Amino acid sequence: MLPVLAFAVLAGCKKEEQPAPEFHAVTESCLETKVNVGYDEFSGVYQVKWVNTDKVWINGAKYSVTPGNPATTADFSLDSGDTPQSPYKAFYPFDAVSSAESGVKFTMPSSITSTNHDVAFWPMYAESESNTFSFKNLCGLVAVSIRDANESRKVTKVQISCTGHYLNGTASVNPDGTGVWKASIASGDDANRTTTVTLSTPMDIKEWGGVYFPLPPAEYGNDFKITFTYDGGGTLVKTVKSDKSINVARSKVTSIAFNIYSPSGTGNEPIGWGETYTEADFN
């Protein structure tokens, strides 16, 4: 049910306190976009879905989330903070917001702890003058997969680095020129060119395993490097070839799959959907 804004009633000269507004929200869903990992083979759609532990920032206040049916929709109710007034700005996740004095700024983490095939951080933003939000994804999602059926190895962490772009630090929510927003990171004390996903449980790569990285939308050149660290020591480093580049688009999944060794016709599939890069694009 779509909640409605409740307004104060004037009784004589006394103004009663206005109840905190509730909100209804929908995420941006399209082919090649997914955060709640668990691929829907029937629809072929990647979707962003709410869970009841999510918290949303709205004009500085913290709002709790009640997922709808489908879970791409949700209702928000005030958890703590001052009652927001229209126009409204909303950001997810709440804890990432660092400033809102001159536009919303948030922290893109340099280190993420995740599980195999899980998205641990995914920023979204919306603006509205009513109680309905239509969230937009601020980043592109890079899905990095690896398989080596010839080795009994497990990966403990995956790192992406790029000397020509900042990958994390204080990010701004900026218009992308098409009527929506994107994340952008300028130079600053906390700006960093390396992002690491650490696996909470080492990932066996005899079958396809993979991790997701939220990255600012950009065309990443041949300074784009991926490093896999193995359980017990040792690394595998892959760098984009000099004549190649990696395109990371807002609200799209970019799949990078390293099939080190895989017997023909066997095994599961790499993660990701959309524009795909393979070991042939890397040194």
Side-chain angles (χ1 to χ4, degrees):
M1 180 177 70
L2 185 70
V4 296
L5 287 170
F7 294 95
V9 177
L10 294 179
C13 295
K14 182 180 180 181
K15 183 178 180 180
E16 295 183 2
E17 184 179 352
Q18 178 177 322
E22 295 183 340
F23 299 92
H24 182 76
V26 61
T27 60
E28 181 177 15
S29 299
C30 61
L31 287 175
E32 307 172 7
T33 312
K34 185 177 188 177
V35 164
N36 187 18
V37 179
Y39 181 65
D40 186 345
E41 62 181 320
F42 299 103
S43 68
V45 175
Y46 279 48
Q47 295 178 323
V48 183
K49 296 181 180 180
W50 298 102
V51 296
N52 57 15
T53 56
D54 287 334
K55 301 294 182 182
V56 178
W57 181 98
I58 301 178
N59 288 18
K62 180 190 286 188
Y63 270 71
S64 296
V65 173
T66 301
N69 186 13
T72 52
T73 66
D75 292 335
F76 301 158
S77 57
L78 183 64
D79 188 327
S80 62
D82 295 333
T83 299
Q85 304 293 324
S86 179
Y88 304 108
K89 295 181 179 180
F91 182 90
Y92 170 84
F94 174 87
D95 290 339
V97 176
S98 57
S99 172
E101 293 180 2
S102 55
V104 174
K105 291 182 172 57
F106 66 99
T107 301
M108 289 277 292
S110 61
S111 181
I112 299 169
T113 299
S114 184
T115 60
N116 188 10
H117 294 195
D118 178 46
V119 178
F121 180 82
W122 187 243
M124 299 185 293
Y125 181 76
E127 292 183 358
S128 179
E129 294 184 356
S130 70
N131 67 323
T132 300
F133 289 117
S134 179
F135 277 84
K136 297 298 180 183
N137 304 319
L138 297 176
C139 290
L141 196 63
V142 177
V144 180
S145 301
I146 185 171
R147 187 184 187 203
D148 188 348
N150 206 33
E151 293 284 346
S152 295
R153 283 183 169 179
K154 294 182 178 181
V155 170
T156 58
K157 66 180 179 181
V158 184
Q159 183 181 83
I160 289 179
S161 59
C162 186
T163 59
H165 293 271
Y166 292 112
L167 305 184
N168 53 72
T170 299
S172 299
V173 176
N174 292 322
D176 75 345
T178 65
V180 294
W181 302 274
K182 67 177 181 180
S184 59
I185 301 174
S187 60
D189 292 340
D190 65 346
N192 197 299
R193 302 181 192 273
T194 300
T195 294
T196 303
V197 173
T198 300
L199 281 303
S200 55
T201 301
M203 179 175 67
D204 192 340
I205 61 172
K206 272 190 169 291
E207 296 291 341
W208 282 107
V211 296
Y212 290 95
F213 289 82
L215 294 184
E219 187 81 16
Y220 294 88
N222 58 12
D223 54 349
F224 188 91
K225 181 170 68 176
I226 301 175
T227 302
F228 298 91
T229 299
Y230 294 118
D231 190 17
T235 60
L236 174 67
V237 180
K238 294 289 185 178
T239 304
V240 173
K241 289 182 176 179
S242 60
D243 60 340
K244 302 289 185 178
S245 62
I246 304 296
N247 180 48
V248 178
R250 189 202 68 80
S251 194
K252 302 292 183 182
V253 172
T254 299
S255 178
I256 303 174
F258 298 103
N259 190 1
I260 308 304
Y261 175 74
S262 176
S264 178
T266 65
N268 56 347
E269 297 295 325
I271 64 172
W273 178 277
E275 189 164 2
T276 301
Y277 302 89
T278 69
E279 63 270 19
D281 300 305
F282 288 76
N283 292 314

